[in-house]
Amino acid sequence: MRTRLVGRAVPLPVGLLMGQPHEGKDPASEWPHLVCLSVLQTPRSHPSARPGPVGGDAMTPTLTALLCLGLSLGTRTRVQAGTLPKPTLWAEPDSVITWGSPVTMWCQGTLDAKGYGLDKEGRSEPWDTETQLKHGNKAKFNIPSMTELYTGRYHCYYYSSDGWSEPSDALELVVTAPYEGIPTLSALPSPVVTSGGNVTLQCGSQLRLDVFILTQEGEKLTRTQDSQRTSSGQYQALFPVSPVTPSHRWTFTCYGYNSNKPLVWLGPSDPLELLVSGVSRKPSLLSTQGPVLAPGQNLTLQCRSDVSYDRFTLYQEGGRVLAQRPGRQPQAGLSQADFPLGPVSGSHGGQYRCYGGHSLSSEWSAPSDPLVILITGQLNDRPSLSVQPGPTVASGENVTLLCQSQSWMDDMFLLTKEGAADPPLRLRSKYRAGQFQAEFSMSPVTSVHGGTYRCYGSLGTSPYLLSLPSNPLELVISESSGHSGPPTAGPSSTPGKSLKCLRSEGARPAPGQC
């Protein structure tokens, strides 16, 4: 005989339950919530025989036993309840389920269990779900598509010849709605934390949410905080986290909900991983395209070290951890990882650091020196660049590059040189003769100052977003004999040295720079 167990809460006559004729009583008055488990047995001699639809009204000839479990949600005492140990109830893949995803609730009792029932607190409508015995001591209750209807607290029971079991501990099902306005999660002051340090996680949303929930990967417990409205109109909650140690990964997500629907969560946020920074040797970070890029250019950052790190991570300061990459060894004694960031936009402007780590440890190295990435074309302005006394000067003369603009937006000016690896020089603008301007002085010039220069304007509030570039200006340094010609040493031989040697409005360069 093959046995199949199916369950559905149905309003069956009490007379059928008790084996007596039905006398017209309202079954709901005796059993406010019935879960009926039909044991369907098919003779082996007729393998083609199949039970009818689950929850259907038709009873097939193969139905040989009907177990109706009275799971009353009212105050009536269950017949013979509590004579058996309570079962265990859990959900797979989790008790927090994305809207529309399937979920299975498992109830595990004893080997002699003959039937199982599921009870939802506060619900009197019929329960429509399928159950099956597995290995004789477990039953599963399937929800094919999770919605708000299925949220709530559940208990399960089992039945044997000895009577009813105790109810299981409560299982709470929550549905998440990944709609617009889901919360964002950030770390204050930074997601990079020294071992043993403290950090505050900020969960916020532009939508009005009453409560925020913080979850941690690998941890069952969640933390909740009432939301507070900020001066900018955003709703947020702050979660202190301490101490942060490299004992395991610190990865968090957050959700939010309104108090009238506490089991319908908005979220999750993008995951946020805290980096636990150590003291091992820092790697170096560079941009293969240079520090100044136009919108649409492809940007790749490279993190490398003479320590054999087998993983690297990239972090944009003031933002979040961007990515982790396995380390590779281009040659003996070196390790590196490339981080392609794709076509750039204004959001790519900023300061970056990278870290190296070993796969057997959750601790990362000391941070690399910061790398600044600047994005042009973010201000509707194009400054002009000129040179005094002229574009061709003799070695040893004094030269001034003058960057000017009529736009009030340019309260800072930057000067770049093609092929220079060092960050651009930056000076605050001054208002003179109806224009905003900055003077970049070189005194005295040498052959290494020769090259092509451009200048940009920027706002002090957005220092990584630049104006359109000025027209290029080529500076030619001739020999002291007065003959013009190409410089004897160019930017390709000592990249960036000319920028280090510039004097900002008369300031002398640092010793050893020129």
Side-chain angles (χ1 to χ4, degrees):
M1 303 288 287
R2 184 173 56 185
T3 300
R4 189 183 183 202
L5 185 66
V6 296
R8 188 180 185 185
V10 294
L12 292 180
V14 176
L16 177 60
L17 173 68
M18 304 304 294
Q20 299 174 358
H22 178 46
E23 298 178 356
K25 292 182 180 180
D26 180 6
S29 65
E30 297 291 334
W31 296 90
H33 192 164
L34 296 176
V35 173
C36 295
L37 303 179
S38 306
V39 181
L40 304 178
Q41 296 181 330
T42 304
R44 295 184 184 274
S45 58
H46 299 283
S48 62
R50 293 291 184 270
V54 174
D57 295 329
M59 307 262 307
T60 71
T62 58
L63 179 59
T64 60
L66 180 63
L67 302 178
C68 290
L69 310 187
L71 305 183
S72 172
L73 298 181
T75 59
R76 184 178 298 276
T77 303
R78 189 174 295 105
V79 177
Q80 295 180 341
T83 60
L84 296 173
K86 64 183 178 183
T88 302
L89 180 63
W90 72 95
E92 292 180 354
D94 197 359
S95 59
V96 179
I97 303 295
T98 303
W99 193 289
S101 298
V103 61
T104 297
M105 286 179 282
W106 286 94
C107 185
Q108 181 172 349
T110 60
L111 291 173
D112 61 349
K114 294 182 178 180
Y116 287 79
L118 188 67
D119 194 3
K120 180 183 175 186
E121 294 182 7
R123 179 185 175 95
S124 58
E125 309 95 88
W127 177 258
D128 188 7
T129 188
E130 180 180 349
T131 69
Q132 292 179 332
L133 282 179
K134 183 178 182 182
H135 304 304
N137 69 335
K138 283 193 290 189
K140 66 178 180 179
F141 297 80
N142 293 320
I143 299 175
S145 180
M146 185 67 181
T147 64
E148 182 180 355
L149 175 66
Y150 296 108
T151 62
R153 289 168 59 86
Y154 292 83
H155 301 267
C156 76
Y157 311 81
Y158 66 93
Y159 174 84
S160 76
S161 58
D162 295 327
W164 292 95
S165 73
E166 292 282 351
S168 68
D169 292 335
L171 170 69
E172 188 170 73
L173 284 190
V174 173
V175 67
T176 64
Y179 301 144
E180 287 188 17
I182 63 174
T184 59
L185 185 60
S186 57
L188 304 174
S190 166
V192 181
V193 188
T194 57
S195 182
N198 304 330
V199 68
T200 297
L201 302 185
Q202 176 182 280
C203 186
S205 174
Q206 294 297 331
L207 297 181
R208 178 177 180 175
L209 297 172
D210 299 326
V211 178
F212 288 99
I213 310 103
L214 183 71
T215 65
Q216 183 177 352
E217 183 180 284
E219 300 289 336
K220 290 296 184 181
L221 296 178
T222 60
R223 297 171 58 184
T224 61
Q225 290 273 12
D226 292 339
S227 72
Q228 303 291 331
R229 191 175 185 182
T230 66
S231 57
S232 63
Q234 176 170 297
Y235 292 86
Q236 69 175 37
L238 301 178
F239 297 88
V241 177
S242 64
V244 180
T245 64
S247 57
H248 63 283
R249 291 183 62 179
W250 295 77
T251 303
F252 298 87
T253 53
C254 77
Y255 304 82
Y257 68 79
N258 286 313
S259 54
N260 62 335
K261 292 186 177 182
L263 299 181
V264 180
W265 295 1
L266 189 64
S269 68
D270 289 334
L272 172 68
E273 181 179 359
L274 301 180
L275 295 183
V276 185
S277 177
V279 296
S280 57
R281 194 182 314 169
K282 66 182 180 183
S284 59
L285 181 63
L286 58 91
S287 165
T288 56
Q289 292 79 21
V292 181
L293 292 94
Q297 277 188 269
N298 285 318
L299 172 62
T300 297
L301 301 185
Q302 186 178 92
C303 188
R304 60 190 183 187
S305 175
D306 57 2
V307 177
S308 296
Y309 292 123
D310 48 27
R311 59 180 182 144
F312 292 90
T313 190
L314 181 67
Y315 163 61
Q316 183 179 8
E317 292 195 1
R320 59 187 177 88
V321 177
L322 296 180
Q324 289 188 24
R325 297 279 182 183
R328 58 185 179 89
Q329 292 188 332
Q331 63 187 71
L334 296 178
S335 59
Q336 71 177 50
D338 294 336
F339 294 89
L341 301 183
V344 299
S345 61
S347 62
H348 289 86
Q351 188 166 273
Y352 295 79
R353 294 179 187 265
C354 74
Y355 301 78
H358 300 284
S359 58
L360 297 180
S361 171
S362 58
E363 187 175 36
W364 295 87
S365 70
S368 67
D369 291 333
L371 171 67
V372 173
I373 297 297
L374 304 168
I375 309 299
T376 68
Q378 305 303 298
L379 301 179
N380 189 22
D381 179 41
R382 187 188 297 272
S384 62
L385 182 62
S386 59
V387 59
Q388 297 293 335
T392 302
V393 295
S395 178
E397 290 191 32
N398 298 332
V399 173
T400 297
L401 297 179
L402 181 64
C403 190
Q404 294 178 306
S405 172
Q406 294 183 343
S407 173
W408 62 270
M409 293 187 297
D410 295 326
D411 55 8
M412 299 290 292
F413 287 102
L414 291 85
L415 183 70
T416 66
K417 180 186 175 186
E418 282 187 8
D422 294 300
L425 289 178
R426 186 185 295 264
L427 286 177
R428 185 170 296 279
S429 70
K430 295 183 177 180
Y431 186 73
R432 292 176 182 172
Q435 293 196 91
F436 296 91
Q437 67 180 41
E439 297 181 354
F440 298 89
S441 300
M442 292 180 277
S443 176
V445 296
T446 65
S447 58
V448 298
H449 290 92
T452 300
Y453 293 84
R454 290 180 175 84
C455 78
Y456 304 83
S458 77
L459 284 169
T461 54
S462 304
Y464 307 116
L465 306 181
L466 309 183
S467 70
L468 295 167
S470 68
N471 292 326
L473 185 148
E474 185 176 4
L475 181 64
V476 177
I477 310 298
S478 66
E479 296 298 325
S480 57
S481 60
H483 297 288
S484 300
T488 56
S492 60
S493 60
T494 54
K497 185 175 180 182
S498 60
L499 286 184
K500 286 184 179 180
C501 294
L502 288 182
R503 294 184 179 181
S504 303
E505 298 184 335
R508 298 187 60 83
Q513 286 189 344
C514 302

